[in-house]
Amino acid sequence: MPLRYKVDILKRLKDAGYTTYKIQKEKILSSGTVQKLRNGEGIGWENIQTICSLLHCQPGDLIEYVEE
């Protein structure tokens, strides 16, 4: 996959005070999205937007394009 995560998003969220329990309990992200992040799989733009809002960052801070 030419797109990959530059950082461990779940760790960055946890460092910002958002545990996976809190994320799912408060319906910030779905359990399926959390699982995709754990597996390094792609997620939708709306979820990236939510994460960027929580972490006060840009999408480019989270993902990068890597030529195969």
Side-chain angles (χ1 to χ4, degrees):
M1 181 168 90
L3 289 178
R4 71 174 181 193
Y5 296 110
K6 294 166 66 172
V7 298
D8 182 340
I9 294 174
L10 292 177
K11 182 180 180 330
R12 295 257 323 254
L13 286 167
K14 185 176 181 181
D15 292 345
Y18 296 97
T19 63
T20 54
Y21 176 78
K22 180 178 180 176
I23 289 169
Q24 292 177 37
K25 182 179 179 195
E26 295 181 11
K27 299 183 188 225
I28 297 170
L29 299 171
S30 71
S31 59
T33 298
V34 171
Q35 191 61 38
K36 285 182 178 184
L37 290 170
R38 280 190 185 117
N39 295 335
E41 298 173 12
I43 58 173
W45 286 114
E46 288 181 16
N47 292 316
I48 292 173
Q49 179 179 336
T50 299
I51 293 166
C52 287
S53 176
L54 295 173
L55 297 177
H56 307 289
C57 67
Q58 295 294 315
D61 298 329
L62 305 174
I63 56 177
E64 67 183 341
Y65 175 78
V66 179
E67 285 192 45
E68 294 183 22

